[in-house]
Amino acid sequence: MAISTSHLFVFLSIAAIFAPSALATNYTVGDDAGWKVGVNYTEWAQNKTFYVGDNLIFKYPAKDDNVYDVTGGQFHNCTIPTDKNATNTGHDVVSLTQPGRKWFISGKEGHCAKNQKLVITVMAMAPASSPLPGGSSSSPPPPPPPPPASGATRAVISGKFGLVAMVVGILGLMIA
């Protein structure tokens, strides 16, 4: 049985919509140790590259701790924000939606002062590597970015491509 053109358009549209989320990496903060006093979160984050679309998962006993997304000043001073609520489910998932620095602290008394805090840098999606036309250039190409911690291959998929694919899919259904 052959696939009809309209079915192919629908399939491609769905694939284009869900592909970027399939490329995200989930990082359990502190790995097996989780979110607690006594873990060196600077060391934990040191060899990881975080990208827009990745998720941080904070795991801890729900009634024993919490997580605040804070500013750099609040991070350095262990200041608990008065204008934000802490996440406190014990399995808090934070989606990294923008490139730049992100700071997190525990809001439990004394925990931040004992270095239960995390700072990371979120990178934009990794650029696609493609050879330059015309052969070599006078300067060597820059080194590639470090691979994600999971070893998963990342691809750049433009949001515009997903939108175009969805429109084409809908048009394909209307034509069929």
Side-chain angles (χ1 to χ4, degrees):
M1 177 173 119
I3 251 179
S4 73
T5 306
S6 63
H7 287 117
L8 181 60
F9 282 125
V10 170
F11 173 77
L12 290 175
S13 298
I14 291 170
I17 291 168
F18 290 106
S21 63
L23 298 172
T25 300
N26 291 326
Y27 292 96
T28 299
V29 176
D31 294 325
D32 292 337
W35 182 242
K36 66 181 184 180
V37 171
V39 177
N40 185 335
Y41 295 104
T42 302
E43 186 176 288
W44 173 81
Q46 184 175 349
N47 294 321
K48 294 173 178 59
T49 304
F50 303 95
Y51 292 97
V52 168
D54 289 347
N55 297 303
L56 297 179
I57 303 169
F58 292 85
K59 289 186 178 181
Y60 54 90
K63 297 188 189 247
D64 293 343
D65 218 324
N66 58 39
V67 180
Y68 279 95
D69 182 347
V70 296
T71 65
Q74 292 167 327
F75 175 87
H76 291 294
N77 296 319
C78 288
T79 303
I80 299 185
T82 57
D83 60 338
K84 291 184 181 177
N85 291 325
T87 55
N88 57 8
T89 66
H91 188 91
D92 306 330
V93 178
V94 176
S95 296
L96 304 175
T97 59
Q98 296 180 6
R101 299 285 271 179
K102 293 289 288 176
W103 299 271
F104 302 92
I105 64 172
S106 169
K108 287 295 182 176
E109 189 170 338
H111 286 202
C112 181
K114 294 178 183 174
N115 287 320
Q116 188 179 350
K117 53 188 184 175
L118 169 68
V119 59
I120 62 169
T121 300
V122 180
M123 308 298 288
M125 264 314 246
S129 59
S130 60
L132 294 174
S136 64
S137 65
S138 60
S139 63
S150 68
T153 302
R154 295 183 179 268
V156 175
I157 298 178
S158 166
K160 290 179 183 176
F161 171 76
L163 180 62
V164 168
M166 184 172 61
V167 169
V168 169
I170 291 169
L171 289 174
L173 285 175
M174 293 170 70
I175 293 170

